[in-house]
Amino acid sequence: MTVTQTHTRTVGDVAAEAGVAPSAVRFYEQHGIVRAERTRSDQRRFDESAACRIRVAKVAQRVGLTVREIADVFAGLPADPQPDDWGRVADHLIAEAEARTAALKSYLADMCSGARLCELPDRAGR
Amino acid sequence: MTVTQTHTRTVGDVAAEAGVAPSAVRFYEQHGIVRAERTRSDQRRFDESAACRIRVAKVAQRVGLTVREIADVFAGLPADPQPDDWGRVADHLIAEAEARTAALKSYLADMCSGARLCELPDRAGR
DNA sequence: CTCGGCCTTCAACATATGTTGAAGTCAAGC
DNA sequence: GCTTGACTTCAACATATGTTGAAGGCCGAG
């Protein structure tokens, strides 16, 4: 019978799959974006979700999330995430992106509508 | 008659107004977020839009724009910007934020709807 | 006229996000 | 067995975004 190997990808494999440098893959592992097992000779082996996590992380960075924040969101992902696991992560990321955009819009709207432009109270954090 | 002085704020004034450190105000000046004139004794003097620019920049950074990108957007602002000048800047920033969020949503939607989630392994035989 | 406070520049440091290079290990092919 | 290529770690470098500290200038109050 076939035993499904979950951790079959090397650093180079994941890097190629995700479109980043191998050094970036190691960096993301150090920072909790991806996890790896080790072979007997200490080489990293990633599962099939690794490239996916990295691709998602790259897009999430573009909306202002830090690697730390993305790692925190990914912390809710089980090994071998299923579609609904990804769905929850997606919802979370999208909500965060929209909240930040909403904060921007709100701040700009207040500013532009203020009688005295630029002399608004400090609501930047809201 | 009263001559309106346009550049009356010191670094400390702007820092307090914008809620950032004086060092940050200098940093933003170096990177084109704000402009300053100089007194005879070489001190910076900012106009009233300076704190505003910085506050906007801080919110824009939260949606993933770099200081360079924000400075580029602000490059379209005249000295003493009027409400419609700010309106154009606001539209530009919001469009950029929404484009990035849309890219995130699109990527996640594709990923989650894909028959094979992120190159998920072939589990059909199990 | 000195003192305190805010200003100046410049360099060093700090954190985030990576890349590059040196030196060494391991497995596969000739 | 030796070569080759991809892997390992670690340190240094690079860029973005700031902060901190030293050394000094300018001005208003006492």
Side-chain angles (χ1 to χ4, degrees):
Chain A
M1 73 168 259
T2 328
V3 172
T4 302
Q5 306 247 109
T6 60
H7 287 73
T8 60
R9 273 95 165 156
T10 67
V11 156
D13 293 340
V14 172
E17 249 189 280
V20 301
S23 62
V25 176
R26 297 190 185 94
F27 176 85
Y28 292 135
E29 189 208 7
Q30 283 173 358
H31 291 81
I33 299 293
V34 292
R35 287 165 168 281
E37 292 182 345
R38 295 298 182 120
T39 64
R40 240 191 316 101
S41 60
D42 221 31
Q43 292 194 3
R44 291 169 184 83
R45 288 297 181 271
F46 300 88
D47 66 28
E48 70 282 348
S49 80
C52 190
R53 287 163 172 258
I54 290 174
R55 283 185 187 280
V56 170
K58 294 310 280 181
V59 184
Q61 280 182 288
R62 287 279 293 172
V63 298
L65 281 82
T66 64
V67 165
R68 167 69 70 98
E69 288 167 338
I70 296 162
D72 288 348
V73 174
F74 283 179
L77 275 179
D80 195 9
Q82 297 307 298
D84 43 336
D85 297 318
W86 277 117
R88 276 187 293 276
V89 164
D91 289 346
H92 195 133
L93 294 176
I94 290 167
E96 185 59 36
E98 291 185 336
R100 290 177 186 208
T101 299
L104 175 69
K105 291 170 82 164
S106 163
Y107 184 76
L108 292 172
D110 284 359
M111 190 187 91
C112 290
S113 72
R116 291 288 302 143
L117 218 55
C118 286
E119 276 176 15
L120 255 32
D122 184 358
R123 11 181 314 124
R126 273 205 331 162
Chain B
M1 73 164 268
T2 328
V3 173
T4 302
Q5 305 248 110
T6 59
H7 287 72
T8 60
R9 276 95 166 157
T10 67
V11 158
D13 293 340
V14 172
E17 249 190 280
V20 302
S23 62
V25 176
R26 296 190 186 95
F27 177 85
Y28 291 134
E29 189 207 7
Q30 283 174 358
H31 291 82
I33 299 293
V34 292
R35 287 164 169 278
E37 292 182 345
R38 296 297 182 121
T39 65
R40 243 195 311 103
S41 61
D42 221 30
Q43 293 194 2
R44 291 169 184 84
R45 287 299 180 270
F46 299 89
D47 66 27
E48 60 185 358
S49 80
C52 189
R53 286 163 172 258
I54 290 175
R55 283 183 188 277
V56 171
K58 295 308 283 182
V59 184
Q61 281 182 289
R62 289 277 295 172
V63 297
L65 281 84
T66 65
V67 166
R68 167 69 71 98
E69 288 166 340
I70 296 162
D72 288 348
V73 174
F74 283 180
L77 276 179
D80 194 10
Q82 296 306 300
D84 43 337
D85 297 318
W86 277 116
R88 275 187 293 277
V89 163
D91 288 347
H92 196 133
L93 294 176
I94 290 167
E96 186 60 37
E98 291 185 336
R100 290 177 186 207
T101 299
L104 175 69
K105 290 170 83 163
S106 164
Y107 184 78
L108 292 173
D110 285 359
M111 191 187 92
C112 289
S113 75
R116 300 177 325 107
L117 204 60
C118 239
E119 235 69 44
L120 231 43
D122 179 13
R123 313 165 52 85
R126 244 215 356 186

